[in-house]
Amino acid sequence: MKKIVFVTWFIITVILFSIIYINIINAATYSWGSRGETVIEIQRRLKNWGYYKGNVDGIYGYLTYTAVKEFQRKNGLYPDGIVGPKTLAALGINVGSAQRGYNGSQNQELLSRLISGEARGEPYVGQVAVGGVVMNRVRDPRFPSTIPGVIYQPGAFTAVDDGQINLPAVDSAKKAAVDALNGWDPSGGALFYYNPEKTTNKWIWSRPVIKVIGKHVFCK
C-alpha cells in the first residue's frame, strides 16, 4: 500500500514539474503556432526591417518562421526559427525573457566588442563616445530598448556586418564600455557617427554634427 502511494505521489510530482517547466519554456520562447501581442511585435519589427512579407496578425506561421531564421542568420544567432531570449533581445523586444537572455556582464561584454570593432585605434574618449551612442539609442523610442537590440539592429553597425563583433575586445574597449554604461557620453547625445573617409552615405552626411572625435563625426 505504501509503495502504491509513493509511486502515485512520484507520478503526480513529475507531472506537476513537467507542466511548470513547459510553461516556463513557452513563456520564454515563441515558435510555430504561438499567438499574441509579442508575436505581433516580432512580426512588426521584422516587417519594418524587410525580413517579413506577411500580415502582422499575431499568428506565428511559416512566413514568420522563415523571417526569423533569416534575421537570426544575418545577426550571428543560431537560425532555428525560434524566438528565444537572445533573439528577442536582438529584436529589441523588452520582455522578461529578453532580459534573462542578456545579463549585466553579457551586455558589458557585447558593448565592449562593438566598441572594439567600431573604434579600435581611436582615442579613448572616442571609444567611449561610440558606447555613448549605443546607450543614447537604447533610451530613444525610435530604436530598440536593449543593448543587444540596438547593436544587432540590421545595418546599424559595420562591426556586426563584417563579423568583428565576434572578435575579442581590446582592453581599452572593455574600459570604454564600463564608462559608457556608467553614464559618460563624450558624444554629446549623438545617435549616429561616421568616418567621412569611409562613408558615401548622403543621408548620414546630412545629419546635424555635434562634434568630431578622432576620425569619427558624431551627429544627431
Side-chain angles (χ1 to χ4, degrees):
M1 183 64 180
K2 290 183 179 181
K3 185 176 181 180
I4 294 175
V5 172
F6 174 79
V7 171
T8 302
W9 173 85
F10 178 77
I11 293 173
I12 292 173
T13 302
V14 170
I15 292 173
L16 288 174
F17 273 104
S18 297
I19 292 173
I20 293 171
Y21 177 76
I22 290 171
N23 286 335
I24 291 173
I25 295 299
N26 287 339
T29 61
Y30 298 86
S31 58
W32 204 309
S34 296
R35 296 169 178 253
E37 292 299 319
T38 302
V39 176
I40 289 175
E41 185 63 15
I42 291 168
Q43 292 173 330
R44 185 182 69 80
R45 296 191 181 221
L46 290 173
K47 193 176 187 73
N48 288 343
W49 296 334
Y51 293 98
Y52 180 60
K53 307 300 182 183
N55 295 323
V56 179
D57 55 10
I59 302 172
Y60 201 120
Y62 176 75
L63 291 179
T64 307
Y65 169 77
T66 54
V68 168
K69 286 188 68 174
E70 184 64 14
F71 173 80
Q72 291 170 326
R73 187 177 295 110
K74 290 190 175 181
N75 288 277
L77 300 166
Y78 182 70
D80 57 4
I82 298 173
V83 181
K86 289 187 177 181
T87 302
L88 282 168
L91 286 165
I93 298 175
N94 190 18
V95 297
S97 56
Q99 293 171 342
R100 287 193 295 272
Y102 282 82
N103 59 33
S105 62
Q106 289 174 314
N107 278 328
Q108 181 179 320
E109 168 65 18
L110 181 61
L111 183 59
S112 69
R113 286 191 276 114
L114 185 278
I115 293 171
S116 185
E118 291 282 314
R120 182 175 58 251
E122 288 292 299
Y124 180 72
V125 67
Q127 294 183 42
V128 180
V130 168
V133 168
V134 173
M135 300 310 297
N136 291 336
R137 291 188 183 187
V138 169
R139 291 185 287 266
D140 191 295
R142 292 170 292 180
F143 294 90
S145 58
T146 66
I147 290 173
V150 166
I151 290 175
Y152 284 119
Q153 189 171 17
F157 295 100
T158 302
V160 175
D161 294 339
D162 64 16
Q164 290 191 65
I165 189 71
N166 300 313
L167 300 177
V170 297
D171 289 342
S172 59
K174 294 177 181 179
K175 295 177 182 178
V178 173
D179 280 334
L181 288 167
N182 285 335
W184 185 18
D185 179 21
S187 79
L191 291 172
F192 307 95
Y193 62 88
Y194 62 93
N195 184 336
E197 296 178 2
K198 295 183 178 180
T199 184
T200 57
N201 186 308
K202 293 182 179 180
W203 180 86
I204 197 69
W205 278 85
S206 71
R207 308 305 300 170
V209 175
I210 298 175
K211 63 175 63 175
V212 177
I213 306 175
K215 294 182 178 180
H216 283 146
V217 176
F218 292 85
C219 50
K220 295 180 180 179

Coordinates of all heavy atoms in Angstrom, one line a residue, residues 18-107:
S18 N 6.7 18.9 -14.8 CA 6.7 19.0 -16.3 C 5.8 20.1 -16.8 O 6.2 20.8 -17.7 CB 6.2 17.6 -16.8 OG 7.1 16.6 -16.5
I19 N 4.7 20.3 -16.1 CA 3.8 21.4 -16.5 C 4.4 22.7 -16.3 O 4.4 23.6 -17.1 CB 2.4 21.3 -15.8 CG1 1.7 20.1 -16.2 CG2 1.6 22.6 -16.0 CD1 0.4 19.8 -15.4
I20 N 5.1 22.9 -15.1 CA 5.7 24.1 -14.7 C 6.9 24.4 -15.7 O 7.0 25.5 -16.2 CB 6.3 24.0 -13.3 CG1 5.1 24.0 -12.3 CG2 7.2 25.2 -13.0 CD1 5.5 23.7 -10.9
Y21 N 7.7 23.3 -16.0 CA 8.8 23.5 -16.9 C 8.3 23.9 -18.3 O 8.9 24.8 -19.0 CB 9.6 22.2 -17.0 CG 10.7 22.2 -18.0 CD1 11.9 22.9 -17.7 CD2 10.6 21.6 -19.3 CE1 13.0 23.0 -18.6 CE2 11.7 21.7 -20.2 CZ 12.8 22.4 -19.8 OH 13.9 22.4 -20.7
I22 N 7.3 23.3 -18.8 CA 6.8 23.6 -20.2 C 6.2 25.0 -20.2 O 6.5 25.8 -21.2 CB 5.6 22.6 -20.5 CG1 6.2 21.2 -20.8 CG2 4.9 23.1 -21.8 CD1 5.2 20.1 -21.0
N23 N 5.6 25.5 -19.1 CA 5.1 26.8 -19.1 C 6.2 27.8 -19.1 O 6.1 28.9 -19.7 CB 4.2 27.1 -17.8 CG 2.9 26.4 -17.9 OD1 2.4 26.2 -19.0 ND2 2.3 26.1 -16.8
I24 N 7.3 27.5 -18.4 CA 8.5 28.4 -18.4 C 9.1 28.5 -19.7 O 9.4 29.6 -20.2 CB 9.5 27.9 -17.4 CG1 9.0 28.1 -15.9 CG2 10.8 28.7 -17.5 CD1 9.9 27.5 -14.9
I25 N 9.3 27.4 -20.4 CA 9.8 27.4 -21.8 C 8.9 28.1 -22.7 O 9.4 28.9 -23.5 CB 10.0 25.9 -22.3 CG1 11.1 25.2 -21.4 CG2 10.4 25.9 -23.7 CD1 12.4 25.8 -21.4
N26 N 7.6 27.9 -22.6 CA 6.7 28.6 -23.5 C 6.7 30.1 -23.3 O 6.5 30.8 -24.2 CB 5.3 28.0 -23.4 CG 5.2 26.6 -24.0 OD1 6.0 26.2 -24.8 ND2 4.2 25.8 -23.6
A27 N 6.9 30.5 -22.0 CA 6.9 31.9 -21.7 C 8.1 32.6 -22.3 O 8.1 33.8 -22.5 CB 6.8 32.1 -20.2
A28 N 9.2 31.8 -22.4 CA 10.4 32.4 -22.8 C 10.7 32.3 -24.3 O 11.6 32.9 -24.8 CB 11.6 31.7 -22.1
T29 N 9.9 31.5 -25.0 CA 10.1 31.3 -26.5 C 8.8 31.4 -27.3 O 7.7 31.2 -26.7 CB 10.7 29.9 -26.7 OG1 9.8 28.9 -26.3 CG2 12.0 29.7 -26.0
Y30 N 9.0 31.8 -28.5 CA 7.9 31.9 -29.4 C 8.3 31.2 -30.7 O 9.4 31.4 -31.3 CB 7.6 33.4 -29.7 CG 7.2 34.1 -28.5 CD1 8.2 34.7 -27.7 CD2 5.9 34.3 -28.1 CE1 7.8 35.4 -26.5 CE2 5.5 34.9 -27.0 CZ 6.5 35.5 -26.2 OH 6.1 36.1 -25.0
S31 N 7.4 30.3 -31.2 CA 7.7 29.5 -32.3 C 6.4 29.2 -33.1 O 5.3 29.7 -32.7 CB 8.4 28.2 -31.9 OG 7.6 27.4 -31.0
W32 N 6.5 28.3 -34.1 CA 5.4 28.0 -34.9 C 4.1 27.6 -34.1 O 4.2 26.8 -33.2 CB 5.7 26.8 -35.8 CG 4.9 26.7 -37.1 CD1 3.6 26.7 -37.2 CD2 5.5 26.5 -38.4 NE1 3.2 26.6 -38.5 CE2 4.3 26.4 -39.3 CE3 6.7 26.4 -38.9 CZ2 4.5 26.3 -40.6 CZ3 6.9 26.2 -40.3 CH2 5.7 26.2 -41.1
G33 N 3.0 28.3 -34.3 CA 1.8 28.1 -33.6 C 1.6 29.1 -32.4 O 0.4 29.2 -32.0
S34 N 2.6 29.9 -32.0 CA 2.4 30.9 -31.0 C 1.5 32.0 -31.5 O 1.5 32.3 -32.7 CB 3.8 31.4 -30.6 OG 4.6 30.4 -30.0
R35 N 0.8 32.6 -30.6 CA -0.1 33.7 -30.9 C 0.0 34.8 -29.8 O 0.5 34.5 -28.7 CB -1.5 33.3 -31.0 CG -1.8 32.3 -32.1 CD -3.2 31.7 -32.0 NE -3.5 30.8 -33.1 CZ -4.3 31.1 -34.1 NH1 -4.9 32.3 -34.2 NH2 -4.6 30.2 -35.1
G36 N -0.4 36.0 -30.2 CA -0.4 37.0 -29.1 C 0.3 38.3 -29.5 O 0.8 38.5 -30.6
E37 N 0.3 39.2 -28.5 CA 0.9 40.6 -28.7 C 2.4 40.5 -29.0 O 2.9 41.3 -29.8 CB 0.6 41.4 -27.4 CG -0.8 41.8 -27.2 CD -1.4 42.6 -28.4 OE1 -0.7 43.5 -28.9 OE2 -2.6 42.3 -28.8
T38 N 3.1 39.6 -28.3 CA 4.6 39.5 -28.6 C 4.8 39.1 -30.0 O 5.8 39.6 -30.7 CB 5.3 38.6 -27.6 OG1 5.0 39.1 -26.3 CG2 6.8 38.6 -27.8
V39 N 4.0 38.2 -30.5 CA 4.2 37.7 -31.9 C 3.9 38.9 -32.8 O 4.6 39.1 -33.9 CB 3.3 36.5 -32.2 CG1 3.4 36.2 -33.7 CG2 3.6 35.3 -31.3
I40 N 2.9 39.7 -32.5 CA 2.6 40.9 -33.3 C 3.8 41.8 -33.4 O 4.2 42.3 -34.4 CB 1.4 41.6 -32.8 CG1 0.1 40.8 -33.1 CG2 1.3 43.1 -33.4 CD1 -1.1 41.5 -32.4
E41 N 4.5 42.0 -32.2 CA 5.6 42.9 -32.2 C 6.8 42.3 -32.9 O 7.6 43.0 -33.6 CB 6.0 43.1 -30.7 CG 7.2 44.1 -30.5 CD 6.8 45.5 -31.0 OE1 5.6 45.8 -31.2 OE2 7.8 46.3 -31.2
I42 N 7.0 41.0 -32.8 CA 8.0 40.3 -33.6 C 7.8 40.5 -35.1 O 8.7 40.9 -35.8 CB 8.0 38.8 -33.3 CG1 8.5 38.5 -31.9 CG2 8.9 38.0 -34.3 CD1 8.3 37.1 -31.4
Q43 N 6.6 40.3 -35.6 CA 6.3 40.5 -37.0 C 6.4 41.9 -37.4 O 7.0 42.2 -38.5 CB 4.8 40.0 -37.2 CG 4.6 38.5 -37.1 CD 3.1 38.2 -37.2 OE1 2.3 39.0 -36.8 NE2 2.9 37.0 -37.6
R44 N 6.0 42.9 -36.6 CA 6.1 44.3 -36.9 C 7.5 44.7 -37.1 O 7.9 45.3 -38.1 CB 5.5 45.1 -35.8 CG 5.4 46.6 -36.2 CD 4.8 47.4 -35.0 NE 5.7 47.4 -33.9 CZ 6.8 48.2 -33.8 NH1 7.1 49.1 -34.8 NH2 7.6 48.2 -32.7
R45 N 8.4 44.3 -36.2 CA 9.8 44.7 -36.4 C 10.5 44.0 -37.6 O 11.3 44.6 -38.3 CB 10.6 44.4 -35.1 CG 10.0 45.2 -33.9 CD 10.9 45.1 -32.7 NE 10.3 45.9 -31.6 CZ 10.9 46.7 -30.8 NH1 12.2 46.8 -30.9 NH2 10.3 47.4 -29.9
L46 N 10.2 42.7 -37.7 CA 10.8 42.0 -38.9 C 10.3 42.6 -40.2 O 11.0 42.7 -41.2 CB 10.4 40.5 -38.8 CG 11.1 39.7 -37.7 CD1 10.6 38.3 -37.6 CD2 12.6 39.7 -37.9
K47 N 9.0 43.1 -40.2 CA 8.5 43.7 -41.4 C 9.1 45.0 -41.7 O 9.5 45.3 -42.9 CB 7.0 43.8 -41.3 CG 6.2 44.1 -42.6 CD 4.7 44.2 -42.3 CE 4.0 44.3 -43.7 NZ 4.0 43.1 -44.4
N48 N 9.3 45.8 -40.6 CA 9.9 47.1 -40.8 C 11.4 47.0 -41.3 O 11.8 47.9 -42.0 CB 10.0 47.9 -39.5 CG 8.6 48.4 -39.0 OD1 7.7 48.4 -39.8 ND2 8.4 48.7 -37.8
W49 N 12.0 45.9 -41.0 CA 13.4 45.7 -41.4 C 13.6 44.9 -42.7 O 14.7 44.6 -43.1 CB 14.2 45.1 -40.3 CG 14.3 45.9 -39.0 CD1 14.2 47.3 -39.0 CD2 14.5 45.5 -37.7 NE1 14.3 47.7 -37.7 CE2 14.5 46.6 -36.9 CE3 14.6 44.2 -37.1 CZ2 14.6 46.6 -35.5 CZ3 14.7 44.2 -35.7 CH2 14.8 45.3 -34.9
G50 N 12.4 44.5 -43.3 CA 12.5 43.9 -44.6 C 12.6 42.4 -44.6 O 12.7 41.8 -45.6
Y51 N 12.4 41.8 -43.4 CA 12.6 40.3 -43.3 C 11.2 39.6 -43.5 O 11.1 38.5 -44.1 CB 13.1 39.9 -42.0 CG 14.5 40.3 -41.7 CD1 14.9 41.4 -41.0 CD2 15.6 39.5 -42.2 CE1 16.2 41.8 -40.7 CE2 16.9 39.9 -42.0 CZ 17.2 41.0 -41.2 OH 18.5 41.4 -41.0
Y52 N 10.1 40.2 -43.1 CA 8.8 39.6 -43.0 C 7.9 40.2 -44.1 O 7.8 41.4 -44.2 CB 8.2 39.7 -41.6 CG 6.8 39.1 -41.5 CD1 6.6 37.8 -41.6 CD2 5.8 39.9 -41.1 CE1 5.4 37.2 -41.5 CE2 4.5 39.4 -40.9 CZ 4.3 38.0 -41.1 OH 3.1 37.5 -40.9
K53 N 7.3 39.4 -44.9 CA 6.5 39.8 -46.0 C 5.0 39.6 -45.8 O 4.2 40.0 -46.6 CB 6.9 39.1 -47.3 CG 8.4 39.2 -47.6 CD 8.9 40.6 -47.8 CE 10.4 40.7 -48.1 NZ 10.9 42.0 -48.2
G54 N 4.6 39.0 -44.7 CA 3.2 38.6 -44.5 C 2.4 39.7 -43.7 O 2.9 40.8 -43.5
N55 N 1.2 39.3 -43.3 CA 0.4 40.2 -42.5 C 0.8 40.2 -41.0 O 1.2 39.2 -40.5 CB -1.1 39.8 -42.6 CG -1.6 39.9 -44.0 OD1 -1.3 40.9 -44.7 ND2 -2.5 39.0 -44.4
V56 N 0.7 41.3 -40.4 CA 1.0 41.4 -39.0 C -0.3 41.0 -38.2 O -1.1 41.8 -37.9 CB 1.5 42.8 -38.6 CG1 1.7 42.9 -37.1 CG2 2.7 43.2 -39.3
D57 N -0.4 39.7 -38.0 CA -1.7 39.2 -37.5 C -1.5 38.5 -36.1 O -2.5 38.0 -35.5 CB -2.3 38.2 -38.4 CG -1.3 37.1 -38.9 OD1 -0.3 36.9 -38.2 OD2 -1.7 36.3 -39.8
G58 N -0.3 38.4 -35.6 CA -0.1 37.8 -34.3 C -0.1 36.3 -34.3 O -0.1 35.6 -33.3
I59 N 0.0 35.7 -35.5 CA 0.0 34.2 -35.6 C 1.3 33.8 -36.2 O 1.7 34.2 -37.3 CB -1.2 33.7 -36.6 CG1 -2.5 34.2 -36.0 CG2 -1.1 32.2 -36.7 CD1 -3.7 34.0 -37.0
Y60 N 2.0 33.0 -35.5 CA 3.4 32.6 -35.8 C 3.3 31.4 -36.8 O 3.2 30.2 -36.4 CB 4.2 32.2 -34.6 CG 5.7 32.2 -34.7 CD1 6.5 33.0 -33.9 CD2 6.3 31.4 -35.6 CE1 7.8 33.0 -34.0 CE2 7.7 31.4 -35.7 CZ 8.5 32.2 -34.9 OH 9.8 32.2 -35.0
G61 N 3.3 31.7 -38.1 CA 3.3 30.7 -39.1 C 4.5 30.6 -39.9 O 5.6 31.0 -39.5
Y62 N 4.4 30.0 -41.2 CA 5.6 29.8 -42.0 C 6.3 31.0 -42.3 O 7.6 31.0 -42.3 CB 5.1 29.0 -43.3 CG 6.3 28.8 -44.2 CD1 7.2 27.8 -44.0 CD2 6.4 29.6 -45.4 CE1 8.3 27.6 -44.9 CE2 7.4 29.4 -46.3 CZ 8.4 28.4 -46.0 OH 9.4 28.2 -46.9
L63 N 5.6 32.1 -42.7 CA 6.3 33.3 -43.1 C 7.1 33.9 -41.9 O 8.2 34.5 -42.1 CB 5.3 34.3 -43.7 CG 4.7 34.0 -45.0 CD1 3.7 35.0 -45.5 CD2 5.8 33.8 -46.1
T64 N 6.5 33.9 -40.8 CA 7.2 34.4 -39.6 C 8.4 33.5 -39.3 O 9.5 34.1 -39.0 CB 6.2 34.4 -38.4 OG1 5.0 35.1 -38.7 CG2 6.9 35.1 -37.2
Y65 N 8.2 32.2 -39.4 CA 9.3 31.3 -39.1 C 10.5 31.6 -40.0 O 11.7 31.7 -39.6 CB 8.8 29.9 -39.3 CG 9.8 28.8 -39.3 CD1 10.4 28.3 -38.1 CD2 10.2 28.2 -40.5 CE1 11.4 27.3 -38.2 CE2 11.2 27.2 -40.6 CZ 11.8 26.8 -39.4 OH 12.7 25.8 -39.4
T66 N 10.2 31.7 -41.3 CA 11.3 31.9 -42.3 C 12.0 33.3 -42.1 O 13.2 33.4 -42.3 CB 10.8 31.7 -43.7 OG1 9.7 32.6 -43.9 CG2 10.4 30.3 -44.0
A67 N 11.2 34.3 -41.7 CA 11.7 35.6 -41.5 C 12.6 35.6 -40.3 O 13.7 36.3 -40.3 CB 10.6 36.6 -41.3
V68 N 12.2 34.9 -39.2 CA 13.0 34.8 -38.0 C 14.3 34.1 -38.3 O 15.4 34.6 -37.9 CB 12.3 34.1 -36.9 CG1 13.2 33.7 -35.8 CG2 11.1 34.9 -36.4
K69 N 14.3 33.1 -39.1 CA 15.5 32.3 -39.5 C 16.5 33.3 -40.2 O 17.7 33.2 -40.0 CB 15.2 31.1 -40.3 CG 14.6 29.9 -39.5 CD 14.5 28.7 -40.3 CE 15.8 28.1 -40.7 NZ 15.7 26.8 -41.4
E70 N 16.0 34.0 -41.1 CA 16.8 34.9 -41.9 C 17.4 36.0 -41.0 O 18.6 36.4 -41.1 CB 16.0 35.6 -43.0 CG 16.8 36.5 -44.0 CD 17.9 35.7 -44.8 OE1 17.8 34.4 -44.8 OE2 18.8 36.4 -45.3
F71 N 16.6 36.6 -40.1 CA 17.1 37.6 -39.2 C 18.2 37.0 -38.3 O 19.2 37.6 -38.1 CB 15.9 38.1 -38.3 CG 16.4 39.0 -37.2 CD1 16.6 40.3 -37.4 CD2 16.5 38.5 -35.9 CE1 17.0 41.1 -36.4 CE2 16.9 39.3 -34.9 CZ 17.2 40.6 -35.1
Q72 N 18.0 35.8 -37.8 CA 19.0 35.1 -36.9 C 20.3 34.9 -37.7 O 21.4 35.1 -37.2 CB 18.4 33.8 -36.4 CG 17.3 34.0 -35.4 CD 16.6 32.7 -35.1 OE1 16.5 31.8 -35.9 NE2 16.2 32.5 -33.8
R73 N 20.1 34.4 -38.9 CA 21.3 34.1 -39.8 C 22.2 35.3 -40.0 O 23.4 35.3 -40.0 CB 20.8 33.5 -41.1 CG 22.0 32.9 -42.0 CD 21.4 32.3 -43.2 NE 20.6 31.1 -42.9 CZ 19.3 31.1 -43.1 NH1 18.6 32.1 -43.6 NH2 18.6 30.0 -42.8
K74 N 21.5 36.5 -40.2 CA 22.3 37.7 -40.5 C 22.8 38.4 -39.3 O 23.5 39.4 -39.4 CB 21.4 38.6 -41.4 CG 21.2 38.1 -42.8 CD 20.5 39.1 -43.7 CE 20.4 38.6 -45.1 NZ 19.8 39.6 -46.0
N75 N 22.4 38.0 -38.1 CA 22.7 38.7 -36.9 C 23.5 37.8 -35.9 O 23.5 38.1 -34.7 CB 21.5 39.3 -36.2 CG 21.0 40.5 -37.0 OD1 21.4 41.6 -36.9 ND2 20.0 40.2 -37.9
G76 N 24.1 36.7 -36.4 CA 25.0 35.9 -35.6 C 24.3 35.1 -34.6 O 24.9 34.6 -33.6
L77 N 23.0 34.8 -34.8 CA 22.3 33.9 -33.9 C 22.0 32.5 -34.6 O 22.0 32.4 -35.8 CB 20.9 34.6 -33.6 CG 21.0 35.9 -32.9 CD1 19.7 36.6 -32.9 CD2 21.5 35.8 -31.4
Y78 N 21.8 31.5 -33.8 CA 21.6 30.2 -34.3 C 20.2 30.2 -35.0 O 19.2 30.5 -34.5 CB 21.5 29.1 -33.2 CG 21.3 27.7 -33.7 CD1 22.3 27.1 -34.4 CD2 20.1 27.1 -33.5 CE1 22.1 25.8 -34.9 CE2 19.9 25.8 -34.0 CZ 20.9 25.2 -34.7 OH 20.7 23.9 -35.2
P79 N 20.2 29.9 -36.3 CA 19.0 30.1 -37.2 C 18.0 28.9 -37.0 O 17.9 28.1 -37.9 CB 19.5 30.1 -38.6 CG 20.8 29.3 -38.5 CD 21.4 29.5 -37.2
D80 N 17.3 28.8 -35.9 CA 16.4 27.7 -35.7 C 15.0 28.1 -35.8 O 14.0 27.3 -35.7 CB 16.6 27.1 -34.3 CG 16.4 28.2 -33.1 OD1 16.1 29.3 -33.5 OD2 16.7 27.8 -32.0
G81 N 14.7 29.4 -36.1 CA 13.4 29.9 -36.3 C 12.6 30.1 -35.1 O 11.3 30.3 -35.1
I82 N 13.2 29.9 -33.9 CA 12.5 30.0 -32.6 C 13.0 31.3 -32.0 O 14.2 31.6 -31.9 CB 12.9 28.8 -31.7 CG1 12.4 27.5 -32.3 CG2 12.3 29.0 -30.3 CD1 12.8 26.3 -31.6
V83 N 12.1 32.2 -31.6 CA 12.4 33.4 -30.9 C 12.5 33.2 -29.4 O 11.5 33.2 -28.7 CB 11.3 34.5 -31.2 CG1 11.7 35.8 -30.5 CG2 11.2 34.7 -32.7
G84 N 13.8 32.9 -29.0 CA 14.0 32.8 -27.6 C 14.6 34.1 -27.0 O 14.5 35.1 -27.6
P85 N 15.1 34.0 -25.8 CA 15.6 35.2 -25.1 C 16.6 36.0 -25.9 O 16.5 37.3 -26.0 CB 16.3 34.7 -23.9 CG 15.5 33.4 -23.6 CD 15.2 32.8 -24.9
K86 N 17.6 35.4 -26.6 CA 18.6 36.2 -27.3 C 18.1 36.8 -28.6 O 18.4 37.9 -28.9 CB 19.8 35.3 -27.6 CG 20.7 34.9 -26.4 CD 21.9 34.2 -26.7 CE 22.8 33.9 -25.5 NZ 24.0 33.2 -25.8
T87 N 17.2 36.1 -29.3 CA 16.6 36.7 -30.5 C 15.6 37.8 -30.1 O 15.6 38.8 -30.8 CB 15.8 35.6 -31.2 OG1 16.7 34.5 -31.6 CG2 15.2 36.2 -32.5
L88 N 14.9 37.6 -29.0 CA 14.0 38.7 -28.5 C 14.9 40.0 -28.2 O 14.5 41.1 -28.6 CB 13.3 38.3 -27.2 CG 12.1 37.4 -27.4 CD1 11.6 36.9 -26.1 CD2 10.9 38.2 -28.1
A89 N 16.0 39.7 -27.6 CA 16.9 40.9 -27.2 C 17.5 41.5 -28.5 O 17.5 42.7 -28.6 CB 18.1 40.4 -26.3
A90 N 17.9 40.7 -29.5 CA 18.4 41.2 -30.7 C 17.3 42.0 -31.5 O 17.6 43.0 -32.1 CB 18.9 40.1 -31.6
L91 N 16.1 41.6 -31.3 CA 14.9 42.3 -31.9 C 14.6 43.6 -31.2 O 13.9 44.5 -31.7 CB 13.7 41.5 -32.0 CG 13.7 40.3 -33.1 CD1 12.6 39.3 -32.8 CD2 13.5 40.9 -34.5
G92 N 15.1 43.7 -29.9 CA 14.9 44.9 -29.1 C 13.5 44.8 -28.4 O 13.0 45.9 -28.1
I93 N 13.0 43.6 -28.3 CA 11.7 43.5 -27.6 C 12.0 43.2 -26.1 O 12.6 42.2 -25.7 CB 10.9 42.3 -28.2 CG1 10.6 42.6 -29.7 CG2 9.6 42.0 -27.4 CD1 9.9 41.5 -30.4
N94 N 11.6 44.2 -25.3 CA 12.0 44.2 -23.9 C 10.9 43.5 -23.0 O 10.1 44.1 -22.4 CB 12.2 45.6 -23.4 CG 12.8 45.7 -22.0 OD1 13.3 44.8 -21.5 ND2 12.6 46.9 -21.4
V95 N 10.9 42.2 -23.0 CA 10.1 41.4 -22.2 C 11.0 40.6 -21.2 O 12.2 40.6 -21.3 CB 9.2 40.4 -23.0 CG1 8.2 41.2 -23.9 CG2 10.0 39.5 -23.8
G96 N 10.4 40.0 -20.2 CA 11.1 39.3 -19.2 C 12.1 38.3 -19.8 O 13.2 38.2 -19.3
S97 N 11.7 37.6 -20.8 CA 12.6 36.6 -21.3 C 13.8 37.2 -22.0 O 14.9 36.7 -22.0 CB 11.8 35.7 -22.3 OG 11.2 36.5 -23.3
A98 N 13.6 38.4 -22.6 CA 14.7 39.0 -23.3 C 15.7 39.5 -22.2 O 16.9 39.5 -22.4 CB 14.2 40.2 -24.1
Q99 N 15.2 40.0 -21.1 CA 16.1 40.5 -20.1 C 16.9 39.3 -19.5 O 18.0 39.5 -19.1 CB 15.2 41.1 -18.9 CG 14.6 42.4 -19.4 CD 13.6 42.9 -18.4 OE1 13.1 42.2 -17.5 NE2 13.2 44.2 -18.5
R100 N 16.3 38.1 -19.5 CA 17.0 36.9 -19.0 C 18.1 36.5 -19.9 O 19.1 35.9 -19.6 CB 16.1 35.8 -18.7 CG 15.2 35.9 -17.5 CD 14.6 34.6 -17.1 NE 13.6 34.2 -18.2 CZ 12.4 34.5 -18.2 NH1 11.8 35.3 -17.3 NH2 11.6 34.0 -19.2
G101 N 17.9 36.8 -21.2 CA 18.9 36.4 -22.2 C 20.2 37.1 -22.1 O 21.2 36.5 -22.4
Y102 N 20.2 38.4 -21.7 CA 21.5 39.1 -21.5 C 21.5 39.8 -20.2 O 20.7 40.6 -19.9 CB 21.6 40.2 -22.6 CG 22.0 39.7 -24.0 CD1 21.0 39.1 -24.8 CD2 23.3 39.7 -24.4 CE1 21.4 38.7 -26.1 CE2 23.6 39.3 -25.7 CZ 22.7 38.8 -26.5 OH 23.0 38.3 -27.7
N103 N 22.4 39.3 -19.3 CA 22.5 40.0 -18.0 C 23.5 41.1 -18.1 O 24.1 41.4 -19.2 CB 22.9 39.0 -16.9 CG 24.3 38.3 -17.3 OD1 25.1 38.9 -17.9 ND2 24.4 37.0 -16.9
G104 N 23.8 41.8 -17.0 CA 24.7 42.9 -17.0 C 26.1 42.6 -17.5 O 26.6 43.4 -18.4
S105 N 26.7 41.5 -17.2 CA 28.0 41.2 -17.6 C 28.0 40.9 -19.1 O 29.0 41.2 -19.9 CB 28.6 40.1 -16.9 OG 27.9 38.9 -17.0
Q106 N 27.0 40.3 -19.6 CA 26.9 40.0 -21.1 C 26.7 41.2 -21.9 O 27.2 41.4 -23.0 CB 25.7 39.0 -21.3 CG 26.0 37.6 -20.8 CD 24.8 36.7 -20.9 OE1 23.7 37.1 -20.6 NE2 25.0 35.5 -21.4
N107 N 25.9 42.2 -21.3 CA 25.7 43.5 -22.0 C 27.1 44.2 -22.1 O 27.4 44.8 -23.1 CB 24.7 44.3 -21.3 CG 23.3 44.0 -21.6 OD1 23.0 43.6 -22.8 ND2 22.4 44.2 -20.7

